[in-house]
């Protein structure tokens, strides 16, 4: 049985990743983490519907001690599966636009507290997840990502960091949203760094950043009126498209930044 871990799975895109994986892969074990499992009613219902294939663990991605503790729990879960003791997929989904719920429109609105809080969740957390779960990724069975062709490089797992197009420095034409933009730019840099480090073993870990598009979630809801017609996507559509990118990712794609349609975005 293959294993996937979805970090930030209580709602929105993270929850939909869990639903999609459970619906499309009957032999997959999904480990879902979130800050307050007791309040994640949809995720708990999904657990009732999939008692053998879904595990829910409490995890605040801004707390390294908790990340380390959960990695120990996951290690025990993986060793309970004789078919696989590794992770085949890790998706870091938790993210915040700004502690206030709205991005800064000017430099006057920037504060140290908000910057640190946004970076803790959007950038530092995913990097620490890679630190504490990396050993499991190197033991994965390569269930996700493009199959190895003759002469190709084998891989063990895929690590996905949920980024955003506004994190592209080259694509920034409007400014604003300092905390969110900077945190996602830094996350892309971390993804590139991880791709280099995880390329050194016999079986590589494919590391990519993904932009989901503008999705109908709580994070984007204050800005829906500014979204062009036909450009606001459901979580179901976005996740389906992103999983196509994940399934077709190869070692040669590691370290890159893609949108939901598989088009590369410049850093």
């Amino acid at each position: 049985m293959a294993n996937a871990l979805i970090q930030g799975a209580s709602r929105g895109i993270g929850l939909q990743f869990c639903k999609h994986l459970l619906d499309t892969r009957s032999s997959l074990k999904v480990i879902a983490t979130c800050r307050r499992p007791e309040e994640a009613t949809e995720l708990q219902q999904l657990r009732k519907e999939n008692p053998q294939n879904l595990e829910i663990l409490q995890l605040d991605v801004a707390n390294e001690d908790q990340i380390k503790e959960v990695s120990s729990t996951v290690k025990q879960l993986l060793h309970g599966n004789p078919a696989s003791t590794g992770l085949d997929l890790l998706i870091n989904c938790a993210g915040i636009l700004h502690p206030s719920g709205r991005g800064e429109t000017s430099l006057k609105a920037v504060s140290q507290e908000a910057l640190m809080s946004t970076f803790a969740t959007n950038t530092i957390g995913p990097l620490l997840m890679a630190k504490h779960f990396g050993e499991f990724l190197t033991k994965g069975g390569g269930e996700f990502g493009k199959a190895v062709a003759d002469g190709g490089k084998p891989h063990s797992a895929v690590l996905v960091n949920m980024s955003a197009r506004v994190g592209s420095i080259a694509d920034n034409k409007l400014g604003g949203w300092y905390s969110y933009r900077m945190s996602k730019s830094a996350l892309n840099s971390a993804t590139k760094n991880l791709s280099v480090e995880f390329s050194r073993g016999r079986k590589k870990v494919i590391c990519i950043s993904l932009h989901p598009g503008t999705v109908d979630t709580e994070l984007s809801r204050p800005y829906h009126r500014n979204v062009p017609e036909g450009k606001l996507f459901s979580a179901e559509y976005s996740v389906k498209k992103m999983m196509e990118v994940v399934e077709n990712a190869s070692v040669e794609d590691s370290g890159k930044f893609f949108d939901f349609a598989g088009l590369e975005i410049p850093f």
Side-chain angles (χ1 to χ4, degrees):
M1 177 179 281
N3 303 289
L5 192 154
I6 310 300
Q7 180 267 118
S10 62
R11 58 187 179 180
I13 291 172
L15 176 64
Q16 186 57 39
F17 269 119
C18 293
K19 291 179 178 179
H20 180 90
L21 290 169
L22 291 168
D23 285 344
T24 58
R25 287 179 173 255
S26 59
S27 62
L28 181 70
K29 176 79 169 185
V30 177
I31 302 168
T33 73
C34 59
R35 285 188 300 164
R36 293 184 288 272
E38 70 281 359
E39 297 178 13
T41 54
E42 287 190 71
L43 186 60
Q44 293 291 352
Q45 180 59 38
L46 196 62
R47 168 85 167 103
K48 291 179 182 178
E49 296 167 1
N50 301 272
Q52 302 302 317
N53 294 76
L54 178 60
E55 190 80 33
I56 303 174
L57 300 176
Q58 183 175 10
L59 172 63
D60 181 351
V61 77
N63 184 330
E64 184 174 9
D65 288 339
Q66 201 168 98
I67 293 174
K68 185 177 181 180
E69 181 180 335
V70 171
S71 71
S72 296
T73 302
V74 168
K75 185 174 185 177
Q76 294 174 7
L77 290 173
L78 295 179
H79 278 283
N81 176 8
S84 173
T85 58
L87 278 177
D88 298 272
L89 178 65
L90 168 59
I91 306 181
N92 285 305
C93 291
I96 62 170
L97 181 61
H98 187 272
S100 69
R102 288 184 173 273
E104 308 98 331
T105 56
S106 71
L107 189 57
K108 294 178 182 178
V110 172
S111 72
Q112 180 179 5
E113 182 180 4
L115 281 165
M116 293 177 67
S117 178
T118 306
F119 267 79
T121 297
N122 293 357
T123 312
I124 300 170
L127 183 59
L128 293 175
M129 289 292 294
K131 172 185 174 181
H132 291 286
F133 290 88
E135 64 171 300
F136 309 135
L137 292 169
T138 60
K139 296 176 182 177
E143 293 292 325
F144 295 87
K146 189 178 293 183
V148 178
D150 291 342
K153 299 175 183 177
H155 68 277
S156 57
V158 179
L159 185 158
V160 178
N161 286 325
M162 295 304 303
S163 188
R165 187 178 294 276
V166 296
S168 168
I169 297 172
D171 193 59
N172 184 0
K173 298 176 179 64
L174 297 176
W177 289 23
Y178 283 91
S179 300
Y180 192 66
R181 284 186 188 275
M182 291 169 62
S183 68
K184 293 300 186 180
S185 295
L187 178 62
N188 292 339
S189 179
T191 303
K192 177 62 180 179
N193 247 31
L194 290 168
S195 74
V196 174
E197 181 155 353
F198 282 122
S199 71
R200 293 174 181 150
R202 184 179 64 83
K203 293 178 71 177
K204 325 295 183 185
V205 176
I206 300 170
C207 305
I208 58 174
S209 289
L210 281 182
H211 164 57
T214 304
V215 183
D216 187 5
T217 63
E218 289 186 27
L219 184 147
S220 67
R221 202 149 289 147
Y223 301 94
H224 284 182
R225 63 183 180 182
N226 299 322
V227 179
E229 186 175 354
K231 296 298 183 180
L232 179 63
F233 306 130
S234 67
E236 291 85 351
Y237 174 80
S238 176
V239 165
K240 179 178 180 293
K241 298 297 289 184
M242 287 191 288
M243 281 306 305
E244 291 175 3
V245 178
V246 170
E247 296 284 8
N248 286 289
S250 68
V251 171
E252 285 70 28
D253 295 320
S254 195
K256 296 181 180 180
F257 180 20
F258 297 99
D259 72 5
F260 60 94
L263 300 176
E264 188 173 353
I265 301 174
F267 287 124

